[in-house]
Amino acid sequence: MRATVMYGAGNVRIENVPDARIIEPTDAIVTVTRACICGSDLWPYQQMEPTDTGRVMGHEAIGVVEAVGGEVRKIRRGDVVIMPFAFSDGTCVFCHDGLQTSCVHGGFFGTTEVAGAQAEAVRIPLADGTLFPVQVDKDDALMPSLLTLSDVMGTGHHAAVSAKVGPGKIVAVVGDGAVGLCGVIAARRLGAQQIIILGRHADRIALAREFGATDVVSGRGDEAVERVRALTGGLGAHSVLECVGLDAAMTTAISVARPGGAVGRVGVPQNEMMPASQPAFYSNISVSGGPAPVRAYIEELLPDVLNGTIQPGRVFDRVIGLDDVPGGYRAMNDREAIKVMVEP
């Protein structure tokens, strides 16, 4: 089968790799009908050390189940399924707590251990606990929005939940990528009164406004902090969604939060030390978040996708075939595309 293989920074190829196959009796094989490129894929695209073996990329997908192992009970051949970016058994204490990204038997797709889904097919470990069947046709018009439930919409929602967004709250969203835009959707859905998007790309800002952003801050650093303060009566935001992962973004997030406020961080941190920890401490700002347990959020978000209340699939502004994935990486890295959908 054909798949996207990354061999180092900037070195993405489409190659023939061994077919996805059942290894464990709890596995399933899914033919990928839609996948995508994630902002977090750009970190290895920019920084990955060269390797001879390569890594099959991709951790977001929708597809059709083609085969199941002998111990799979809930997933059936022919099911149309959402594949969350993490696999999980659905039975451990953390899965029961709705934290599937910490499953004691789980892990992540698109790593050196488990091949990713920017491919014609993908092996799903722990299929019963991982996959979420949806009762729609594989070519339904809602597929782009359903695909976001595998990661970015659930991640934006996790940022909002971690930041304690609720009715009447003032929310600031740091980052205008796909996750930040989905964070705007989540904040509006949870009842925020004011939503400030921090970003500077015109196409993304326009979409953020359509999703519910009430204010835009295009500056950075101290300029951005001053502007958010001005928009919030000098107090800062109750809830801040940090959707980037860079030190500067985290510093800004803490700086625009009001005393007693909360920051939900879902941008993959690029530094082991958390910036602005002392200001957060002295202002009693809580900082939470991490890899979003999107499997836990699908059931909550799915009805709003199905009835059109939210349309997170609009973050996809480019659709490509598998052969064009290297160009899709370049487009996202150069900020020429918000998020690229792949149709193998």
Side-chain angles (χ1 to χ4, degrees):
M1 70 177 193
R2 293 158 64 247
T4 302
V5 185
M6 185 178 292
Y7 285 92
N11 187 356
V12 178
R13 312 175 200 170
I14 306 303
E15 296 187 339
N16 289 317
V17 301
D19 288 346
R21 62 183 181 87
I22 301 289
I23 296 176
E24 301 292 339
T26 51
D27 289 349
I29 303 301
V30 170
T31 296
V32 177
T33 56
R34 285 168 182 81
C36 48
I37 301 171
C38 183
S40 63
D41 291 333
L42 299 181
W43 297 125
Y45 184 73
Q46 296 167 359
Q47 303 170 0
M48 181 177 171
E49 293 294 326
T51 172
D52 293 331
T53 55
R55 172 175 149 196
V56 177
M57 300 295 293
H59 54 258
E60 307 156 276
I62 279 186
V64 178
V65 177
E66 293 300 325
V68 297
E71 294 181 12
V72 176
R73 298 289 180 261
K74 299 177 182 177
I75 301 299
R76 294 182 173 86
R77 189 174 184 274
D79 284 350
V80 176
V81 290
I82 299 170
M83 183 200 90
F85 67 84
F87 58 90
S88 53
D89 61 19
T91 61
C92 80
V93 61
F94 298 115
C95 288
H96 280 301
D97 287 344
L99 196 62
Q100 287 90 339
T101 46
S102 293
C103 175
V104 296
H105 300 116
F108 299 91
F109 291 99
T111 64
T112 53
E113 292 79 23
V114 179
Q118 291 167 11
E120 293 179 321
V122 60
R123 179 178 76 93
I124 311 295
L126 304 172
D128 278 340
T130 301
L131 296 174
F132 193 102
V134 287
Q135 302 304 312
V136 298
D137 183 81
K138 66 181 179 67
D139 294 316
D140 193 285
L142 289 172
M143 276 298 154
S145 286
L146 291 170
L147 177 57
T148 68
L149 298 181
S150 68
D151 188 346
V152 287
M153 185 60 228
T155 296
H157 179 71
H158 187 55
V161 170
S162 298
K164 304 177 184 178
V165 176
K169 294 286 187 73
I170 299 173
V171 177
V173 180
V174 181
D176 59 4
V179 171
L181 293 170
C182 287
V184 172
I185 295 174
R188 183 181 184 183
R189 181 180 174 276
L190 292 172
Q193 174 185 344
Q194 183 180 8
I195 304 171
I196 305 165
I197 180 79
L198 281 71
R200 54 198 307 163
H201 299 87
D203 55 342
R204 301 168 186 225
I205 294 306
L207 192 54
R209 285 195 179 279
E210 293 180 32
F211 284 162
T214 57
D215 301 277
V216 176
V217 172
S218 58
R220 291 182 176 177
D222 291 342
E223 179 186 351
V225 174
E226 291 174 11
R227 182 60 182 149
V228 173
R229 293 280 175 182
L231 289 167
T232 58
L235 301 177
H238 298 99
S239 304
V240 184
L241 283 56
E242 195 283 291
C243 304
V244 181
L246 295 175
D247 285 1
M250 192 61 193
T251 298
T252 296
I254 291 173
S255 299
V256 302
R258 67 175 55 196
V263 174
R265 62 186 315 201
V266 294
V268 179
Q270 297 305 294
N271 193 332
E272 291 187 3
M273 303 295 291
M274 190 186 85
S277 60
Q278 286 193 345
F281 176 83
Y282 285 109
S283 293
N284 281 282
I285 295 168
S286 61
V287 179
S288 185
V294 299
R295 181 63 174 76
Y297 295 137
I298 294 176
E299 192 166 355
E300 175 184 350
L301 297 171
L302 182 61
D304 284 355
V305 169
L306 293 176
N307 66 26
T309 300
I310 61 174
Q311 298 177 312
R314 295 177 63 196
V315 300
F316 294 110
D317 56 348
R318 186 172 298 195
V319 181
I320 61 174
L322 194 56
D323 287 337
D324 296 323
V325 168
Y329 272 84
R330 287 192 295 271
M332 284 185 60
N333 192 61
D334 295 342
R335 301 298 187 267
E336 295 173 359
I338 300 173
K339 191 166 179 68
V340 174
M341 184 163 64
V342 183
E343 295 183 345

